[in-house]
Amino acid sequence: MGAVLKTLVSLMVLLLLIGRIHSATPKASNSPQDKVEKIIFDTDIGDDIDDAYALGLLLRSPEVQVVGVTTAFEDTHLRARLTTRFLKSAGREDIPVYEGPSTLGKPHFTQSKYAQSSPDHSYPDAIEFMVNTIRRDPGQVTLVAVAPLTNLGALIAKDSKTFSKLKRVVLMGGSVAHGYGTRELPDAEWNIVNDVAAAKALFGSGVPIYMMPLDSTQILLDATQQAKVFGKKTGMTKALEELTAEWSAATSRQSPMLFDVVAASFAVEPEICPTTPMRIEVDDKGFTKKIDGAANANVCLHSSVGQFFNIFMQRSF
């Protein structure tokens, strides 16, 4: 019996030592959330149709977590209503929607019928949400900005120190060497020219900027590709089909240009749009000019259309 007891005691001591070693060893986390990038999506959804496709892609990308959608420019309340209905169609009512400051101007909304079918209620303040979110997770939040930069300008004016704690801004905006369509000269691009002061503030903020200008974002979604998306017949694709039809009727255009989706895709898979460090200056007319000096932006001048559509079509819209 003495030998048996000694053996049992030895085994117990050995197991205790193994337990202590195991508990002292740092554990490698396998939680998917550890690698997921937190995204604030700042959008003028409801004018052009690419915002909806961009949001849809982010919602179906496990690499990122959309922690909130903020609406910008003109009728931000109607944009919030559209976003709420779209998120519901995607089964993502868990994502909160915030209303940015409205701005005056000729309305550009093309998808109002869809938006007005969403229940009307008040929305919390977008700028306050952004401040609180960045403070809570400093250095961890990416702001995907695909609208005129009014919300960003308001955030910088309110609390530039907090703005500086963003991980990065992924921007659809600007024009460096090529303008709209086949124009071989730069244009004053929509998101920049509609709030030049905010654009100047952004490029002077010191926050890492990944800029997707007109040079790399003019990718067309033709009828064949639309049919593939709509053919999936999910709640989201049905919403996209309805929104696209409404946009098409208002604009007499059949094929969306996926400007904003390129920026969203870059946030998911940067390889689709390799960037080059540049010094970008925003002039008083809203042009984004490459000048000499220390880089303040990482600019993509050429995107890979093939890689882009691989990502876009593989997502389960």
Side-chain angles (χ1 to χ4, degrees):
M1 286 294 293
V4 173
L5 283 173
K6 286 181 181 180
T7 301
L8 288 172
V9 169
S10 297
L11 285 172
M12 289 174 68
V13 170
L14 180 60
L15 289 171
L16 180 62
L17 287 172
I18 291 171
R20 286 179 177 175
I21 292 170
H22 184 263
S23 65
T25 303
K27 296 180 177 65
S29 175
N30 294 318
S31 171
Q33 292 297 320
D34 292 340
K35 298 179 181 180
V36 171
E37 185 159 5
K38 293 180 172 66
I39 298 284
I40 296 172
F41 185 66
D42 190 63
T43 176
D44 58 343
I45 195 168
D47 288 358
D48 210 343
I49 187 61
D50 53 332
D51 297 73
Y53 284 92
L55 178 55
L57 184 138
L58 290 173
L59 295 178
R60 292 295 184 259
S61 295
E63 300 90 344
V64 301
Q65 175 193 3
V66 180
V67 297
V69 179
T70 54
T71 60
F73 192 59
E74 295 179 345
D75 191 344
T76 53
H77 182 71
L78 191 58
R79 299 190 197 286
R81 291 176 66 187
L82 190 157
T83 304
T84 298
R85 184 179 173 194
F86 183 77
L87 290 171
K88 183 177 181 180
S89 77
R92 295 303 308 273
E93 294 173 274
D94 58 302
I95 297 176
V97 180
Y98 300 87
E99 183 179 325
S102 61
T103 62
L104 299 175
K106 177 185 176 182
H108 296 87
F109 220 95
T110 65
Q111 299 143 61
S112 56
K113 183 179 177 182
Y114 181 96
Q116 289 165 352
S117 297
S118 181
D120 194 8
H121 59 81
S122 61
Y123 289 89
D125 181 72
I127 310 307
E128 194 66 29
F129 160 72
M130 289 194 280
V131 167
N132 292 336
T133 302
I134 299 165
R135 285 177 181 171
R136 186 173 61 247
D137 292 305
Q140 302 299 314
V141 178
T142 290
L143 179 54
V144 177
V146 297
L149 300 171
T150 303
N151 283 352
L152 278 69
L155 176 54
I156 294 168
K158 180 181 178 69
D159 192 340
S160 60
K161 184 177 180 181
T162 294
F163 187 82
S164 71
K165 294 178 181 178
L166 278 168
K167 178 179 180 179
R168 59 177 179 166
V169 172
V170 176
L171 169 69
M172 189 283 121
S175 170
V176 178
H178 297 277
Y180 287 102
T182 58
R183 180 173 161 80
E184 293 295 326
L185 292 172
D187 280 316
E189 187 272 328
W190 179 261
N191 290 340
I192 304 298
V193 77
N194 275 290
D195 199 329
V196 171
K200 288 184 177 185
L202 171 62
F203 281 92
S205 69
V207 169
I209 299 169
Y210 291 83
M211 175 180 169
M212 313 290 120
L214 295 178
D215 308 64
S216 57
T217 57
Q218 298 187 78
I219 299 177
L220 201 68
L221 185 69
D222 65 25
T224 300
Q225 292 156 333
Q226 288 179 57
K228 289 180 181 178
V229 173
F230 303 154
K232 295 183 180 181
K233 299 298 182 185
T234 66
M236 184 190 292
T237 60
K238 290 176 182 177
L240 286 170
E241 186 172 15
E242 184 176 348
L243 287 166
T244 302
E246 198 168 335
W247 164 84
S248 182
T251 62
S252 299
R253 292 162 56 192
Q254 302 302 315
S255 296
M257 194 72 75
L258 300 179
F259 304 100
D260 296 347
V261 194
V262 176
S265 299
F266 178 87
V268 173
E269 191 65 60
E271 287 76 10
I272 72 149
C273 214
T275 61
T276 302
M278 293 183 189
R279 181 81 184 175
I280 297 295
E281 177 186 72
V282 181
D283 73 11
D284 292 340
K285 295 182 179 179
F287 286 84
T288 47
K289 298 179 178 179
K290 178 186 175 184
I291 62 171
D292 293 334
N296 62 351
N298 302 283
V299 183
C300 175
L301 296 178
H302 304 283
S303 56
S304 169
V305 176
Q307 282 184 289
F308 169 81
F309 275 115
N310 282 342
I311 294 171
F312 182 81
M313 291 298 182
Q314 284 173 6
R315 302 295 157 166
S316 300
F317 281 101

